[in-house]
Amino acid sequence: MVDTVIRHDWTRAEVAALFALPFNELLHRAHAAHREHHDPNAVQVSTLLSIKTGGCPEDCAYCPQAARYDTGVQAQKLMSVEAVLERAQAAKDAGASRFCMGAAWRGPKDRDVVKVAEIVRAVKGLGLETCATLGMLSGTQADTLKAAGLDYYNHNLDTAPEFYGEVIHTRQYQDRLDTLGHVRHAGMKTCCGGIVGMGESRDQRAGLLQTLATLPEHPQSVPINQLVQVEGTPLNGTEALDPFEFVRTIAVARLLMPASMVRLSAGRQQMDDAVQALCFFAGANSIFYGEKLLTTGNPDVEHDRALFRRLDLHPLQVVEEAGTVHADILESGTAGCGQSCGCSAAA
């Protein structure tokens, strides 16, 4: 019997011990926890749009949107309300119930937040649930977005506290924790995860998950990104993470945060179908499809639909929960797919 009590007091040693379990034992425990809290054959699907691309002043070593790296990403201004609405309507016409918007800022100015709030209100007017990732927020900015109707805010921790300085120097770990606190205080739901495969150790992957699982409230969505190596970024050429180690990370995330949505985010394009199937078994129950995943591609929509049919997966149906909709993409007349948010300037 797997203990699926939701805890916030995990120790690093306990998390490391989960990573060290034999692979099949770990997947067995994770799948049992997954079944306890979720439909094991249902997956959420969301569409993510970059509403302001490139030109970010930060130095995140993984990110092609950083202005200091020559990655071929051209800086663009914030999209107009009309342009975003056109894309949101197209997503809704395809069956989307949640629309996620990402902007490459270190942190938005107050005037930027006013503009994004206008976009959020317009997208909400289409009947879509909304998520945004805009960088660091102040408490007042979080309140403004909440008042506009924003449902989820994404802000990843990226990695373990002790490895963070190897990847980012222009923003402190506490800055990220402070933004998450502002989001929770405003009454929005949090989407928060990290990136693996950046050269960190297994113990540091355990440190990332332990930090997430000991937050005052587990993130409602936990995106697990696999590094997408982009030429021109400092992490290009990093030794690739073993696919089974990525599956282990998904499984441990599921055990630590059994009620959260665990999302396969960036890097899914590089995974074969068998690895994705293992991830779904280990507890992943959320993906992106449709728009490009900010500045990196994601698997073709039709391929995703075919994979869902092969695995007998179905879309997570619309369920009212705590005043929001956990909803998804329903393919008209067929099995389709379905999910929630999970954006980040990294993925």
Side-chain angles (χ1 to χ4, degrees):
M1 184 70 177
V2 174
D3 184 359
T4 60
V5 174
I6 295 175
R7 295 174 49 190
H8 296 266
D9 60 350
W10 291 96
T11 67
R12 178 73 73 94
E14 287 178 306
V15 180
L18 290 175
F19 266 100
L21 286 171
F23 187 75
N24 287 341
E25 176 65 22
L26 175 59
L27 262 61
H28 168 71
R29 295 190 191 186
H31 187 71
H34 186 51
R35 297 182 75 92
E36 184 73 19
H37 291 268
H38 306 275
D39 178 345
N41 298 308
V43 178
Q44 288 185 319
V45 178
S46 199
T47 295
L48 171 61
L49 174 67
S50 180
I51 62 173
K52 189 273 178 191
T53 301
C56 182
E58 300 228 51
D59 70 348
C60 307
Y62 51 75
C63 189
Q65 303 212 54
R68 67 190 67 205
Y69 306 138
D70 183 12
T71 63
V73 174
Q74 300 299 313
Q76 300 172 14
K77 294 181 179 179
L78 181 68
M79 293 174 64
S80 68
V81 175
E82 295 74 21
V84 176
L85 267 184
E86 182 180 352
R87 304 291 279 274
Q89 184 64 59
K92 183 179 180 182
D93 291 345
S97 295
R98 183 176 298 175
F99 193 69
C100 305
M101 296 162 281
W105 285 311
R106 182 174 190 270
K109 296 180 173 64
D110 288 345
R111 65 174 181 269
D112 297 322
V113 173
V114 171
K115 294 176 183 177
V116 174
E118 183 182 359
I119 292 172
V120 169
R121 281 190 288 269
V123 173
K124 290 284 285 188
L126 298 177
L128 287 164
E129 192 176 35
T130 54
C131 174
T133 178
L134 314 172
M136 294 185 292
L137 292 181
S138 68
T140 301
Q141 291 174 334
D143 289 339
T144 298
L145 293 171
K146 171 63 176 176
L150 188 67
D151 298 294
Y152 279 76
Y153 193 80
N154 166 261
H155 202 61
N156 285 343
L157 294 181
D158 284 352
T159 189
E162 70 271 20
F163 189 67
Y164 185 82
E166 300 295 318
V167 181
I168 301 165
H169 309 93
T170 51
R171 184 192 311 189
Q172 300 303 308
Y173 209 77
Q174 188 60 47
D175 293 330
R176 295 180 180 269
L177 295 172
D178 290 346
T179 290
L180 292 171
H182 296 322
V183 170
R184 286 192 301 269
H185 187 266
M188 288 182 285
K189 297 193 176 193
T190 57
C191 171
C192 182
I195 309 168
V196 297
M198 297 192 292
E200 77 285 345
S201 66
R202 174 182 282 185
D203 186 65
Q204 288 162 340
R205 285 187 285 279
L208 165 65
L209 296 185
Q210 182 214 6
T211 305
L212 291 167
T214 55
L215 290 171
E217 180 182 31
H218 289 170
Q220 284 78 16
S221 295
V222 182
I224 304 296
N225 300 273
Q226 180 167 270
L227 175 67
V228 177
Q229 299 193 27
V230 178
E231 187 174 353
T233 60
L235 288 180
N236 185 46
T238 301
E239 183 178 355
L241 186 69
D242 186 305
F244 294 134
E245 187 68 13
F246 184 85
V247 177
R248 282 183 183 274
T249 306
I250 293 290
V252 174
R254 171 52 67 215
L255 285 167
L256 300 183
M257 296 166 281
S260 300
M261 305 301 294
V262 175
R263 177 168 302 105
L264 287 182
S265 203
R268 196 165 65 87
Q269 188 178 42
Q270 285 73 43
M271 298 177 196
D272 63 31
D273 291 350
V275 171
Q276 291 191 57
L278 282 172
C279 288
F280 291 133
F281 185 83
N285 59 347
S286 183
I287 64 169
F288 280 117
Y289 94 175
E291 296 288 347
K292 290 227 179 214
L293 196 56
L294 298 186
T295 58
T296 60
N298 66 343
D300 179 79
V301 170
E302 291 304 324
H303 181 87
D304 284 340
R305 290 172 173 169
L307 178 61
F308 271 54
R309 287 192 293 269
R310 290 164 63 201
L311 298 178
D312 297 311
L313 298 175
H314 60 265
L316 184 66
Q317 298 299 316
V318 175
V319 176
E320 293 291 343
E321 179 180 306
T324 68
V325 180
H326 267 342
D328 345 308
I329 291 191
L330 299 175
E331 187 181 358
S332 178
T334 67
C337 345
Q339 169 212 305
S340 81
C341 98
C343 18
S344 144

